[in-house]
């Protein structure tokens, strides 16, 4: 069974501080990993995916297969980063359908 | 086309009543997904369609739940004999199908169901 664990429900940092949102997964094959974000009163949207290896809004995430982790990092947090962040997993490339989400981490960036 | 739309946005019903939700995906997307999100949890997969074919249903989708996508465009999710445990946000998402690369799922705003 596939599972995603986000150990922190809440994370609070000050503006300009580094931030790391943790995500661990359980999956027997080669999953696709994603971070989704939901800003206040907005719909859920894709932030980044591991296969693209890109930085979005200053966030990066590296897939560590040995530790089965996909932590989201940003060196200098901004107030506009305050949101709910969900780590999600999908099956092998090509299966391409259902997402399994973690419970989410609410990030608050204080001024 | 302003993205995935869902109606109604809110629904309050009494236990035992039937409810139906509608999802209109992005027009060129042939995959459509339903998820359910309860308080403090991430979205949980319910079912998905490729065009009009329903290809997978989660164990979460009891006999009281039925979903359709009759012409491969909009979809409906019906809950019969609602229970208080059905209270949740019901999310719809759609995506394209192109090759083997991941196709981003675009989410709607959700329908919040409250069963009294």
């Amino acid at each position: 069974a596939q599972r995603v664990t986000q150990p922190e429900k809440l994370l609070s940092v000050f503006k300009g501080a580094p931030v790391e949102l943790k995500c661990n997964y359980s999956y027997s094959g080669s999953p696709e990993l994603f971070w989704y974000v939901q800003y206040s009163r907005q719909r859920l949207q894709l932030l980044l995916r591991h296969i693209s290896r890109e930085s979005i809004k200053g966030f990066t995430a590296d897939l560590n297969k040995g530790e089965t982790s996909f932590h989201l990092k940003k060196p200098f947090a901004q107030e506009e980063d305050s949101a709910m962040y969900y780590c999600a997993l999908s099956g092998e490339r090509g299966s391409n359908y259902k997402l399994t989400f973690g419970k989410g981490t609410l990030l608050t960036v204080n001024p | 086309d302003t993205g995935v739309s869902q109606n109604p946005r809110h629904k309050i019903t009494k236990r035992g009543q039937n409810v139906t939700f509608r999802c209109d995906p992005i027009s060129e997307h042939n995959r459509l997904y339903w998820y359910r999100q309860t308080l403090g949890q991430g979205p949980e997969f319910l079912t998905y369609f490729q065009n009009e074919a329903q290809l997978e249903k989660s164990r979460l989708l009891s006999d009281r739940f039925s979903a359709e996508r009759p012409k491969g465009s909009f979809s409906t999710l019906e809950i019969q004999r609602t229970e208080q445990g059905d209270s949740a946000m019901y999310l719809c998402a759609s995506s394209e199908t192109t090759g083997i690369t991941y196709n981003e799922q675009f989410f709607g705003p959700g329908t919040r169901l409250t069963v009294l």
Side-chain angles (χ1 to χ4, degrees), chain A residues 36 43 86 96-98, chain B residues 4 31 37 56 102 105 107:
Chain A
Y36 274 78
R43 59 187 68 188
Y86 294 96
N96 207 354
Y97 55 110
K98 67 182 179 183
Chain B
V4 178
R31 287 192 173 179
Q37 185 173 22
E56 183 172 341
Y102 174 76
Q105 291 183 30
F107 282 81

Side-chain angles (χ1 to χ4, degrees), chain B residues 34-49:
Chain B
W34 284 99
Y35 294 85
R36 181 174 72 182
Q37 185 173 22
T38 53
L39 200 61
Q41 304 293 318
E44 295 172 291
F45 172 79
L46 292 178
T47 189
Y48 102 102
F49 293 84

Side-chain angles (χ1 to χ4, degrees), chain A residues 1 6 9 32 34 36 38 41-47 49 51 84 86 90 92-104, chain B residues 2-5 31 33 35 37 40-45 48 56 91 95-109:
Chain A
Q6 294 179 251
K9 291 185 74 171
E32 301 266 11
F34 314 91
Y36 274 78
Q38 188 166 25
R41 290 186 291 278
Q42 294 187 26
R43 59 187 68 188
L44 198 58
Q45 60 186 283
L46 179 65
L47 179 63
R49 64 195 82 174
I51 58 171
M84 179 68 87
Y86 294 96
S90 180
E92 276 86 2
R93 216 171 282 187
S95 69
N96 207 354
Y97 55 110
K98 67 182 179 183
L99 292 170
T100 298
F101 287 87
K103 292 184 178 183
Chain B
T2 56
V4 178
S5 62
R31 287 192 173 179
Y33 313 79
Y35 294 85
Q37 185 173 22
Q41 304 293 318
E44 295 172 291
F45 172 79
Y48 102 102
E56 183 172 341
L91 296 168
S95 76
E96 297 178 292
T97 309
T98 53
I100 62 170
T101 58
Y102 174 76
N103 300 115
E104 180 179 348
Q105 291 183 30
F106 292 84
F107 282 81

